[in-house]
Amino acid sequence: MAAIFAVLGSIESSAFSTWLRESPSLLAFPLMLSLHAIGMGLAAGINGAIALRILGVAPGVPLGGMRPFLRVMWAGFWMNAASGVALLIAYPTKALTNPDFYLKLTFIALALVTVRALDRRVFRAPQALDAVPTPPGARVRRLAVASLTCWAGAIIAGRLLAYTYTQLLASWR
Amino acid sequence: MTLVTWQSWLVRTFARGTLAAAFMRTHWGWPAAESVHFIGLSLLFGTIVVWDLRLLGVGRRIPFAALHALLRWTGIGFALSAGSGVMFLMTEPTEYVYNPSFHFKMACLAIAGLNAAAFYLTGYGRAVTSGTRDVAPRAAKLFAVISLLAWLGVIVFGRLLTFYRPAWCEATPATFVARCVPSLNQQ
């Protein structure tokens, strides 16, 4: 246990971690938080738009036509992975000692599984570009519901991180 | 009406939402409202990005008229975010009314709203959704760019709020200006 906190402490005392936490520059913590919110809007939001389409919103939209937006969704996801790693480097102890952080990561992992499954079953399916779209089957609809649930769960768990942590820095023992 | 009286009127008006403030001060009230605010943000931004990028030429196989139905969920996302946002204001009005980042956020929100209204009032909305062309006119693309930039501004200035909070000052909404705005105290 002491060895784990020694590692976390050395991350926190690194130049990059200290700069992210303590710099008054808008390019430090504020930029990372902003990128994380934009990436969330793109990843969860576009995924949400696709899931809503599968569940019957805007039924005239051919699902295959929405595939280019999947790329934008992934761009948002990678934006969040990068800014998330930066936020983690700034406060590793705060996140890693909080069970809620692992709950958030689990929701994100499950959400990504649903995105990949939707890509395979819906967007690459041969009937995806039909002029008169066929309504998605029950299995695909369940995937869409799971996707919406996981992203909502990831957002809520992420928000609660600020309220559920028990230790801010490794040195605070 | 001067800026100071306008701001103190805003603070007093929002502070009347005592029921909302009581809920927000319960243990999970504030984080619950924040969660709703962020879920609303995702719905709003995700659907508007799809629409604006479609105007800019992404996803050309999607007919504009069919995609337009998705924008109802932009409205639902906005309602979630605006509703929870007003809850924050009714609980800590001075934290927002005197926060420069909040002023920029509201300016971006106003630009996004006026831009959306102009898109329909100028007839471009109808031209795009009732036409059969799969490419939007150039002017409609300008609306899309302004919309994307304005919503990005709303998100960024929203996230920056916490770094520009007015310094803590012990006062009720009614006495805030008199006690906590230094330039007035000196007069």
Side-chain angles (χ1 to χ4, degrees), chain A residues 109-133:
Chain A
L110 291 174
L112 293 183
V113 170
T114 64
V115 173
R116 297 202 78 115
L118 285 175
D119 191 20
R120 205 173 51 244
R121 286 171 187 280
V122 178
F123 294 105
R124 295 193 215 186
Q127 68 274 23
L129 288 170
D130 287 355
V132 180

Side-chain angles (χ1 to χ4, degrees), chain B residues 15 66 121 124 163 184:
Chain B
L121 292 175
Y124 280 106
F163 302 99
L184 285 177

Side-chain angles (χ1 to χ4, degrees), chain A residues 74-146:
Chain A
W74 280 109
F77 171 78
W78 288 113
M79 202 167 161
N80 266 24
S83 55
V85 166
L87 293 169
L88 185 61
I89 289 173
Y91 288 102
T93 307
K94 187 184 177 187
L96 296 174
T97 57
N98 188 348
D100 182 45
F101 182 69
Y102 302 97
L103 182 65
K104 174 179 170 173
L105 291 187
T106 306
F107 273 127
I108 294 171
L110 291 174
L112 293 183
V113 170
T114 64
V115 173
R116 297 202 78 115
L118 285 175
D119 191 20
R120 205 173 51 244
R121 286 171 187 280
V122 178
F123 294 105
R124 295 193 215 186
Q127 68 274 23
L129 288 170
D130 287 355
V132 180
T134 41
R139 214 190 153 109
V140 168
R141 292 172 68 93
R142 276 201 296 275
L143 266 177
V145 171

Side-chain angles (χ1 to χ4, degrees), chain B residues 85-174:
Chain B
V86 169
M87 303 272 279
F88 302 134
L89 265 160
M90 290 195 291
T91 315
E92 299 291 345
T94 56
E95 291 277 303
Y96 301 97
V97 171
Y98 298 103
N99 188 322
S101 193
F102 184 70
H103 305 160
F104 282 107
K105 177 175 177 174
M106 289 302 109
C108 288
L109 191 58
I111 292 169
L114 291 172
N115 181 65
F119 177 69
Y120 293 105
L121 292 175
T122 54
Y124 280 106
R126 177 178 289 261
V128 166
T129 53
S130 63
T132 49
R133 298 190 57 209
D134 63 352
V135 179
R138 189 170 289 180
K141 293 183 179 182
L142 184 64
F143 284 110
V145 170
I146 294 172
S147 164
L148 287 173
L149 291 176
W151 287 114
L152 281 174
V154 170
I155 294 175
V156 170
F157 289 118
R159 215 54 275 245
L160 294 185
L161 280 171
T162 186
F163 302 99
Y164 294 93
R165 290 189 187 285
W168 174 250
C169 173
E170 185 71 44
T172 65

